[in-house]
Amino acid sequence: MAKIAFIGLGNMGSGMAANLVKAGHEVLAFDLSADAVAHAVNSGASAAASAAEAVAAAEAVVTMLPAGKHVRAVYEGEIFGSAAPGTLFMDCSTIDVASARHVGGLAVEKGFRFVDAPVSGGVAAAQGGTLTFMVGGSEADFAAAEVFLDAMGKAVLRAGDLGAGQAAKICNNMLLAITMIGTCEAFALADKLGLDAQKFFDISSKASGQSWSMTSYCPVPGPIPTTPANNGYKPGFATAMMLKDLKLAQDAAQTAGATTPLGAQAEALYAMFDNLGGGASDFSGIYKLLDGSWGE
C-alpha cells in the first residue's frame, strides 16, 4: 500500500479520496476548504496543512482542481518544489489540453512521472468507486497510475500520450451534452403530443433513439428512480460543470480548426440555462428549460 497525497476535495475529490483509503492506502489530504479536509479526515485520511506538505511525504499524488490555471499554479508553485524525485502525479481535473501538456511536460523534464486522468461518471460514481478514467501519458506511467486509479473506478483507459486524456474527456462530454439535449427535446415533444413519459421511455430505450442519456440518466421523473430527475434535479453533474466542459471543447475546436456546430449550439443552450439560474442544477435539468417549466 502507498502513501498518497490528494489535493482538491470537492464533490468529486472527497469520494475519490475515501475510496483510496478503503483500498488500504494512506491518504494525506489538502484543500483550501477546512470543511472539505475535515470530511476527508472523517473518511480515514490524514490532514495536511498545505499542498507542499502533503506531497513532500507522498510517493503518488492525485489532484482534482477546478481549471487549468489552478493546476498550473499548484504544480508550479507548490508541488514540483516539494515532491521527491520520481513521484507519480495523476491529475484528474478536467482542464484544457494545452495546460495538461504543459504541466505534464514540466513534470517529465524534472524527473517526475505524470498522467492526465480526467474522469467520467459524476458524484455518485466518485463515491461508489465506479468512475471511468481517460488517461494520457506514457505506457510506463499509465501502468504505474493504473494501480491507484483502479481503486477509484470501474474502467481505466489509456487514450494516448500526455493531453490525450483531456482530449477524450472534452470530446466525450460534448457528445453527452448533445445527446442529453436531444433526449430532453424528445421527451418534451412526447409530452406535448400526449405520450406518457414511461411509455415513451419503454419504446425509445429499445429502439434507435436509445442512448446513455436515455437509459442510464433519463432526464424526466419516473422511468429510472435513481436519476437526478427524481431528486429535484440535484446534481449529479451540475450544469455549470457541463458548461465549463463545453467551453473547453469549443476552445479546442477553434484551436484545432474543427467544425462542431452541434457542440456550439449545446454550449449556447447550457449558457442560457446557466444564466437563468440553472447552474447549480443537474445538467439533465435542461429538460425543464426545453419543456417551458423552468422557473415555475
Side-chain angles (χ1 to χ4, degrees), residues 4-98:
I4 305 172
F6 203 109
I7 315 299
L9 301 161
N11 291 333
M12 297 291 291
S14 60
M16 294 164 67
N19 281 314
L20 287 172
V21 172
K22 290 177 184 176
H25 298 294
E26 181 180 350
V27 176
L28 306 170
F30 176 73
D31 192 279
L32 293 176
S33 166
D35 288 343
V37 174
H39 180 73
V41 170
N42 288 337
S43 297
S46 299
S50 66
E53 178 182 299
V55 304
E59 57 195 271
V61 177
V62 179
T63 50
M64 191 67 166
L65 301 167
K69 64 180 181 181
H70 304 105
V71 172
R72 288 176 183 249
V74 171
Y75 274 91
E76 295 180 43
E78 296 188 69
I79 291 178
F80 286 152
S82 304
T87 299
L88 171 65
F89 299 127
M90 296 164 278
D91 181 39
C92 297
S93 318
T94 296
I95 61 174
D96 59 287
V97 175

Side-chain angles (χ1 to χ4, degrees), residues 66 140 152 205 243 286:
M152 301 181 284
S205 63
L243 180 57
I286 200 168

